Coordinates of all heavy atoms in Angstrom, one line a residue:
D1 N 70.7 148.4 161.3 CA 70.3 149.0 160.1 C 68.8 149.3 160.2 O 68.0 148.3 160.3 CB 70.6 148.1 158.9 CG 70.4 148.8 157.6 OD1 69.5 149.7 157.5 OD2 71.0 148.3 156.6
Q2 N 68.4 150.5 160.2 CA 67.0 150.9 160.4 C 66.1 150.3 159.3 O 64.9 150.1 159.5 CB 66.8 152.4 160.3 CG 67.5 153.1 161.5 CD 67.2 154.6 161.5 OE1 66.0 154.9 161.5 NE2 68.2 155.5 161.7
T3 N 66.6 149.9 158.2 CA 65.8 149.4 157.1 C 65.6 147.9 157.1 O 64.8 147.3 156.4 CB 66.4 149.7 155.7 OG1 67.7 149.1 155.5 CG2 66.6 151.2 155.6
K4 N 66.4 147.2 158.0 CA 66.4 145.7 158.1 C 65.2 145.3 159.0 O 64.8 146.1 159.8 CB 67.7 145.2 158.6 CG 68.9 145.5 157.7 CD 68.7 144.9 156.3 CE 70.0 145.2 155.4 NZ 69.8 144.7 154.1
I5 N 64.8 144.1 158.8 CA 63.6 143.6 159.5 C 64.0 143.1 161.0 O 64.9 142.4 161.2 CB 63.0 142.3 158.8 CG1 62.5 142.8 157.4 CG2 61.9 141.7 159.6 CD1 61.4 143.8 157.4
A6 N 63.2 143.6 161.9 CA 63.3 143.1 163.3 C 62.2 142.0 163.5 O 61.0 142.3 163.7 CB 63.0 144.3 164.3
D7 N 62.7 140.8 163.3 CA 61.7 139.7 163.3 C 61.4 139.2 164.7 O 62.0 138.4 165.3 CB 62.3 138.5 162.5 CG 61.2 137.7 161.8 OD1 60.2 137.4 162.5 OD2 61.3 137.3 160.7
V8 N 60.4 139.9 165.3 CA 60.0 139.6 166.6 C 58.6 139.1 166.7 O 57.7 139.4 165.8 CB 60.1 140.9 167.5 CG1 61.5 141.4 167.6 CG2 59.2 142.0 166.9
V9 N 58.3 138.3 167.7 CA 56.9 137.7 167.8 C 56.6 137.7 169.3 O 57.4 137.4 170.2 CB 56.9 136.2 167.3 CG1 56.9 136.2 165.8 CG2 58.0 135.4 167.8
P10 N 55.3 138.0 169.7 CA 54.9 138.0 171.1 C 54.9 136.5 171.6 O 54.6 135.6 171.0 CB 53.4 138.5 171.0 CG 53.3 139.2 169.6 CD 54.3 138.4 168.8
A11 N 55.2 136.4 172.9 CA 55.4 135.2 173.6 C 54.1 134.4 173.7 O 54.2 133.1 173.5 CB 56.0 135.4 175.0
D12 N 53.0 135.0 173.9 CA 51.7 134.3 174.0 C 51.3 133.7 172.6 O 50.7 132.6 172.6 CB 50.6 135.1 174.6 CG 50.4 136.4 173.9 OD1 51.3 137.0 173.3 OD2 49.2 137.0 173.9
Y13 N 51.7 134.4 171.6 CA 51.4 133.9 170.2 C 52.3 132.6 170.0 O 51.8 131.6 169.4 CB 51.8 134.9 169.1 CG 50.7 135.9 168.9 CD1 50.0 136.5 169.9 CD2 50.4 136.4 167.6 CE1 49.0 137.5 169.7 CE2 49.4 137.3 167.4 CZ 48.7 137.9 168.4 OH 47.8 138.8 168.2
V14 N 53.5 132.6 170.6 CA 54.4 131.4 170.4 C 53.8 130.3 171.1 O 53.7 129.1 170.6 CB 55.8 131.8 170.9 CG1 56.7 130.5 170.9 CG2 56.4 132.9 170.0
S15 N 53.4 130.5 172.4 CA 52.8 129.3 173.2 C 51.6 128.8 172.5 O 51.4 127.5 172.6 CB 52.6 129.8 174.7 OG 51.6 130.8 174.7
N16 N 50.8 129.6 172.0 CA 49.5 129.2 171.3 C 49.9 128.4 170.1 O 49.3 127.3 169.8 CB 48.7 130.3 170.9 CG 47.9 131.0 172.1 OD1 47.7 130.3 173.1 ND2 47.5 132.2 172.0
A17 N 50.9 128.9 169.4 CA 51.4 128.2 168.2 C 51.9 126.8 168.5 O 51.7 125.8 167.8 CB 52.4 129.0 167.4
V18 N 52.7 126.7 169.6 CA 53.2 125.4 170.0 C 52.1 124.4 170.3 O 52.2 123.2 169.8 CB 54.1 125.6 171.3 CG1 54.4 124.2 172.0 CG2 55.3 126.4 171.0
L19 N 51.1 124.8 171.0 CA 50.0 123.9 171.3 C 49.2 123.5 170.1 O 48.7 122.4 170.0 CB 49.1 124.5 172.4 CG 49.7 124.8 173.7 CD1 48.7 125.5 174.7 CD2 50.3 123.6 174.3
A20 N 49.1 124.4 169.2 CA 48.4 124.1 167.9 C 49.2 123.1 167.0 O 48.7 122.3 166.4 CB 48.1 125.4 167.1
C21 N 50.5 123.3 167.1 CA 51.4 122.4 166.3 C 51.3 121.0 166.8 O 51.4 120.0 166.0 CB 52.9 122.9 166.5 SG 53.3 124.3 165.5
A22 N 51.3 120.8 168.1 CA 51.1 119.4 168.7 C 49.8 118.8 168.1 O 49.9 117.6 167.7 CB 51.0 119.5 170.2
W23 N 48.8 119.5 168.0 CA 47.5 119.0 167.5 C 47.7 118.6 166.0 O 47.3 117.6 165.5 CB 46.5 120.1 167.6 CG 45.2 119.9 166.9 CD1 44.1 119.0 167.1 CD2 44.8 120.6 165.7 NE1 43.1 119.1 166.2 CE2 43.5 120.1 165.3 CE3 45.3 121.6 165.0 CZ2 42.8 120.6 164.2 CZ3 44.7 122.1 163.9 CH2 43.4 121.6 163.5
D24 N 48.4 119.6 165.2 CA 48.6 119.3 163.8 C 49.5 118.2 163.5 O 49.3 117.4 162.6 CB 49.0 120.6 163.2 CG 49.0 120.6 161.7 OD1 48.0 120.2 161.1 OD2 50.0 120.9 161.0

């Protein structure tokens, strides 16, 4: 469905978020 959300995230953003989560 062209109107529905394609919830995608870049892989390097994910790895950065993982490392920040460990700190938090």
Side-chain angles (χ1 to χ4, degrees):
D1 186 336
Q2 297 190 47
T3 66
K4 300 301 183 183
I5 298 297
D7 208 318
V8 294
V9 287
D12 53 332
Y13 279 41
V14 174
S15 63
N16 285 339
V18 168
L19 297 179
C21 283
W23 168 77
D24 192 47

